[in-house]
Amino acid sequence: MTEDRKAIVPVWTLATGDVRGPALTGDEPMTAERLAELRGVLAVLADEPIATLEVHPLPDQLDRSRGIPLDAASPLAQHLSQLITQSARNSSVAATATAASEGLYRMVVPAKVAAQFGQGIIRPMAAKGAADGIRGALVNSTGSIVGQPTFVPVGKAAAAGAVGGAGATAGVAVAGSAALTVAAPLVLMAVAVGASANADYKRQQAIEHITELLEQLHEQKLEDEHSELDGCRDAIDKATAILLDQGKLGVSLGLDSAVHAINTALGAADRRLARWQSALDKLPDAKPVEIGTLTKSFPGVDDHGGTFRTHLELAALAIALKRRVIVLQAVEHAQDDPDNLFENFARALKRDQQRLDELESSIAGVLERLSALELAGPQGLRPVFTTGEVDRLMRAANRIHKLGDGVMVNSRTTDVAIEIARNKDGSVVVFPALPM
């Protein structure tokens, strides 16, 4: 997508509580760099989490299949519609930008706030055809916003309160920060759907990899493990739809049995991780490792397929499914306590994320250690290797060294962008949350 460099983009500053914040926004036009600085200052100085919301023209070509659709009656869509309607009454810039009733809304949550969600819930998504790229509706293959529009704050915007649901925290923030619109339900719902879409994208990636690996392995036990995990999707999808419409979860959904299957898979991942770490610890320091020795503990590590790589993808699938469940549980917590909405959400999410973050980080550590190993050929009485043995060793070394590519251990928390496509009928599609 290319965006007009002279475009005027309205931007709201959204608070998640009735806060006393610094009067920094004003109503003067600003650059993207200035807006980023402002977000950082607000995150540090404001009493409650602050997010910004921009509205851009809807791109001509937009892959909506990556996102989660919500109809116009859903709370998120109604919160957004109310913000648009009430803001247009007080701001000609907002009125002009939202007149078409459709657009691409971009909510940016500062790193300080994003850290509350755990380090692993939002990670870069590799774009096809771009090794290090991040794919998003408003970003190019390098992760940068295309074009240089001018951002204009929407001052004294009316609040986006709850519409037809619990958790209303509405109103313009108190004196000293009149441009801060209190919109906790809107921020919470956007973060929740964006995080859920992100986790589901990772689930899809893991499913694709597992399917390809199992076609090569013909391993029934791993097939069963995969089928049981993939069977959890239906219950999680239904629970997501119900909670995002602010309904109540019931036993008939089957979410309890899905959570049990996911926890069982995570337990298997923990046990396998312990075996991998133990096997690496037993290897001699600073000495080449015979390929045969390595494949005993990591079967198939030297090949495209193999049991080890399937175990990695099964762990990734279980983690992705668990992250979706945790988001649902956090939303449910927040909705049960309307007066403490965003704080409950962030607290529940962070607490339960820690185990997954540690598991994911530990698996990444194993891959880094494997990728750094120096390999040796088969040991025997023969003084030279055959051509086939040399070729196998070179292929194995190349594949094992690539295990460390793209591994992120204790990645730095960044600002998080959540993009929402709004249609003319008020329905929305929320795309996976992306680090900036």
Side-chain angles (χ1 to χ4, degrees):
M1 167 188 163
T2 58
E3 186 171 1
D4 185 356
R5 289 176 177 268
K6 297 180 180 180
I8 302 297
V9 175
V11 56
W12 293 263
T13 47
L14 306 179
T16 57
D18 193 10
V19 300
R20 183 176 297 277
L24 297 174
T25 52
D27 56 4
E28 295 297 321
M30 67 183 92
T31 63
E33 291 75 15
R34 174 60 179 156
L35 178 60
E37 291 174 1
L38 174 64
R39 275 196 299 263
V41 172
L42 288 172
V44 172
L45 298 182
D47 299 328
E48 297 284 346
I50 302 293
T52 59
L53 181 68
E54 312 155 15
V55 56
H56 300 257
L58 199 61
D60 294 331
Q61 295 182 341
L62 192 59
D63 182 9
R64 296 169 186 266
S65 65
R66 298 183 298 110
I68 293 180
L70 299 173
D71 64 32
S74 66
L76 172 57
Q78 292 198 33
H79 297 327
L80 183 58
S81 293
Q82 184 172 345
L83 177 70
I84 293 167
T85 300
Q86 296 182 350
S87 298
R89 296 172 185 166
N90 303 311
S91 169
S92 59
V93 173
T96 301
T98 60
S101 300
E102 64 179 8
L104 191 65
Y105 291 79
R106 193 173 203 250
M107 183 179 292
V108 179
V109 180
K112 177 183 176 182
V113 180
Q116 299 177 57
F117 309 145
Q119 71 168 16
I121 194 165
I122 296 171
R123 291 279 179 84
M125 298 189 306
K128 292 180 179 179
D132 301 313
I134 296 174
R135 174 162 296 179
L138 275 178
V139 297
N140 61 19
S141 61
T142 65
S144 303
I145 297 178
V146 178
Q148 295 294 331
T150 299
F151 296 88
V152 178
V154 179
K156 299 183 179 179
V163 179
T169 304
V172 176
V174 297
S177 56
L180 296 184
T181 301
V182 182
L186 176 58
V187 176
L188 181 147
M189 284 291 182
V191 171
V193 186
S196 185
N198 186 283
D200 193 55
Y201 182 87
K202 294 176 184 176
R203 180 199 63 81
Q204 293 175 35
Q205 286 184 314
I207 288 288
E208 291 174 2
H209 294 157
I210 292 169
T211 301
E212 181 182 345
L213 292 169
L214 288 177
E215 286 175 353
Q216 301 174 37
L217 275 179
H218 304 291
E219 176 61 57
Q220 186 60 48
K221 187 176 180 180
L222 293 179
E223 276 274 13
D224 293 342
E225 192 173 335
H226 170 227
S227 297
E228 188 169 7
L229 272 177
D230 198 30
C232 300
R233 179 188 176 186
D234 186 58
I236 293 175
D237 284 348
K238 285 187 174 70
T240 301
I242 288 173
L243 267 183
L244 294 179
D245 284 335
Q246 291 187 333
K248 291 292 182 182
L249 300 182
V251 178
S252 61
L253 284 176
L255 191 60
D256 288 347
S257 58
V259 170
H260 174 73
I262 295 167
N263 288 341
T264 300
L266 289 172
D270 279 326
R271 291 189 297 274
R272 288 162 181 161
L273 172 63
R275 289 199 297 269
W276 297 338
Q277 290 172 327
S278 176
L280 287 170
D281 290 340
K282 291 176 182 177
L283 295 178
D285 293 333
K287 291 184 179 179
V289 179
E290 186 182 346
I291 188 66
T293 301
L294 198 61
T295 54
K296 286 180 182 178
S297 300
F298 303 91
V301 70
D302 59 332
D303 206 346
H304 275 307
T307 302
F308 172 66
R309 293 174 188 265
T310 307
H311 284 165
L312 288 176
E313 295 299 337
L314 286 169
L317 176 57
I319 289 171
L321 289 170
K322 185 66 172 180
R323 289 200 191 282
R324 282 201 75 185
V325 170
I326 289 173
V327 172
L328 295 180
Q329 292 169 335
V331 172
E332 191 173 25
H333 269 290
Q335 291 180 353
D336 285 343
D337 188 356
D339 296 327
N340 188 19
L341 190 146
F342 196 85
E343 290 85 349
N344 262 352
F345 173 74
R347 187 161 49 246
L349 199 57
K350 183 175 182 180
R351 182 180 60 247
D352 291 336
Q353 287 292 341
Q354 288 176 348
R355 179 197 172 195
L356 295 182
D357 291 344
E358 291 169 3
L359 175 59
E360 202 167 41
S361 180
S362 296
I363 291 175
V366 166
L367 295 179
E368 280 196 329
R369 291 175 67 182
L370 279 171
S371 67
L373 291 176
E374 182 182 352
L375 298 183
Q379 303 298 311
L381 299 177
R382 290 182 290 109
V384 295
F385 298 143
T386 65
T387 302
E389 289 172 337
V390 171
D391 289 343
R392 185 199 173 196
L393 182 61
M394 292 180 66
R395 286 195 304 270
N398 184 51
R399 287 169 181 156
I400 291 172
H401 290 160
K402 285 185 177 180
L403 287 172
D405 292 352
V407 165
M408 289 178 288
V409 181
N410 298 320
S411 57
R412 180 177 61 87
T413 305
T414 66
D415 290 355
V416 170
I418 301 154
E419 291 165 356
I420 305 169
R422 184 175 188 266
N423 304 312
K424 288 182 181 292
D425 63 359
S427 62
V428 298
V429 176
V430 184
F431 295 97
L434 291 168
M436 294 178 64

